[in-house]
């Protein structure tokens, strides 16, 4: 399968129920190498080694990423940390896993690896094809922030919101100063941005956002879209 897309990723913050884990691998891939890079993805996801994968792997193409060099990423989500560790143990030393990693390294450059832990989420997620907006944040009082965001999301203001929102806590890796990633997902960026612009006319919405700003500072944003999705895990089950 060939992926040529100009698209974007996610952002989230959080504490969670069983605490799902998202491991993000960001890659810089030159256009001339994309065919071979994604051929390696196709081959690995059809292999015996991948057949027992219990999570969800989203291949995301970045459309707006600031000065960061990565243009693709693998967002690999597991039900919990124990499942992530078990998966790594099963893969290590297998021929399929070794070939996959060597093929990726030969055709791209790994930019970063970050582990996030899920905190809380709202709204329906499309497991197969979604546009994402990720907001990097520094949260000084996580409990206060989640309480404020929960009140907003449970209010009539957000009843018809055409998006999902998930908060993820940076657990390992990540950019300096960033404590959480807030990820917005929807069918399109235009739909999400239109809803945001319309909501900004509502004084209650504005007041809620201002309240969150007392304990949350936004540090940057990223847009991506899912180009391919693998694995049986329903992301909505993590809430």
């Amino acid at each position: 399968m060939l992926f040529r897309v100009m698209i974007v990723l996610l952002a989230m913050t959080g504490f969670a129920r069983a605490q799902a884990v998202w491991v993000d691998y960001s890659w810089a891939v030159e256009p001339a190498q994309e065919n071979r890079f994604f051929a390696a993805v196709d081959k690995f996801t059809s292999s015996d080694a991948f057949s027992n994968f219990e999570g969800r792997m989203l291949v995301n193409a970045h459309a707006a990423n600031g000065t960061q060099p990565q243009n693709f990423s693998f967002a690999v989500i597991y039900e919990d940390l124990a499942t992530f560790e078990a998966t790594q143990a099963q893969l290590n030393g297998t021929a399929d896993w070794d070939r996959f990693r060597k093929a990726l390294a030969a055709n791209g450059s790994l930019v970063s690896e970050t582990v996030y832990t899920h905190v809380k989420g709202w709204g329906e997620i499309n497991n197969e094809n979604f546009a994402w907006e990720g907001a990097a944040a520094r949260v000084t009082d996580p409990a206060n922030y989640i309480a404020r965001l929960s009140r907003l999301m449970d209010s009539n203001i957000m009843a018809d919101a055409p998006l999902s929102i998930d908060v993820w806590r940076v657990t390992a890796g990540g950019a300096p100063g960033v404590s959480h990633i807030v990820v917005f997902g929807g069918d399109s960026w235009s739909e999400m941005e239109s809803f945001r612009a319309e909501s900004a006319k509502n004084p209650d919405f504005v007041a809620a956002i201002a309240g969150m700003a007392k304990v949350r500072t936004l540090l940057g944003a990223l847009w991506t879209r899912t180009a391919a999705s693998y694995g049986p895990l329903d992301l909505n089950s993590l809430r």
Side-chain angles (χ1 to χ4, degrees), residues 7-158:
I7 340 176
V8 214
L9 179 70
L10 30 151
M12 307 184 187
T13 30
F15 320 119
R17 173 188 61 102
Q19 295 207 295
V21 171
W22 158 29
V23 186
D24 197 81
Y25 306 89
S26 295
W27 286 82
V29 183
E30 294 295 331
Q33 306 299 320
E34 286 183 16
N35 286 8
R36 286 189 288 272
F37 187 87
F38 289 110
V41 176
D42 287 341
K43 186 172 183 178
F44 176 67
T45 53
S46 300
S47 70
D48 289 338
F50 191 79
S51 63
N52 295 320
F53 177 62
E54 297 178 3
R56 171 73 57 171
M57 183 174 79
L58 306 178
V59 180
N60 293 304
H62 296 229
N65 199 27
T67 59
Q68 301 303 310
Q70 63 263 33
N71 52 351
F72 293 99
S73 65
F74 301 113
V76 189
I77 301 96
Y78 301 88
E79 186 176 15
D80 52 35
L81 185 57
T83 306
F84 163 63
E85 291 180 305
T87 301
Q88 292 302 302
Q90 291 169 4
L91 288 175
N92 287 338
T94 66
D96 290 329
W97 179 237
D98 288 344
R99 276 193 296 269
F100 178 53
R101 291 186 301 153
K102 289 175 182 177
L104 294 185
N107 295 288
S109 299
L110 181 62
V111 176
S112 66
E113 300 178 23
T114 307
V115 178
Y116 303 95
T117 302
H118 192 253
V119 176
K120 195 161 185 178
W122 302 263
E124 194 74 13
I125 297 175
N126 184 329
N127 288 292
E128 302 298 330
N129 184 13
F130 231 26
W132 304 98
E133 297 182 6
R138 180 173 64 249
V139 179
T140 56
D141 187 340
N144 187 321
Y145 172 65
I146 292 300
R148 289 176 181 274
L149 181 56
S150 295
R151 285 196 295 272
L152 173 62
M153 295 306 300
D154 294 338
S155 71
N156 291 333
I157 300 172
M158 302 298 287

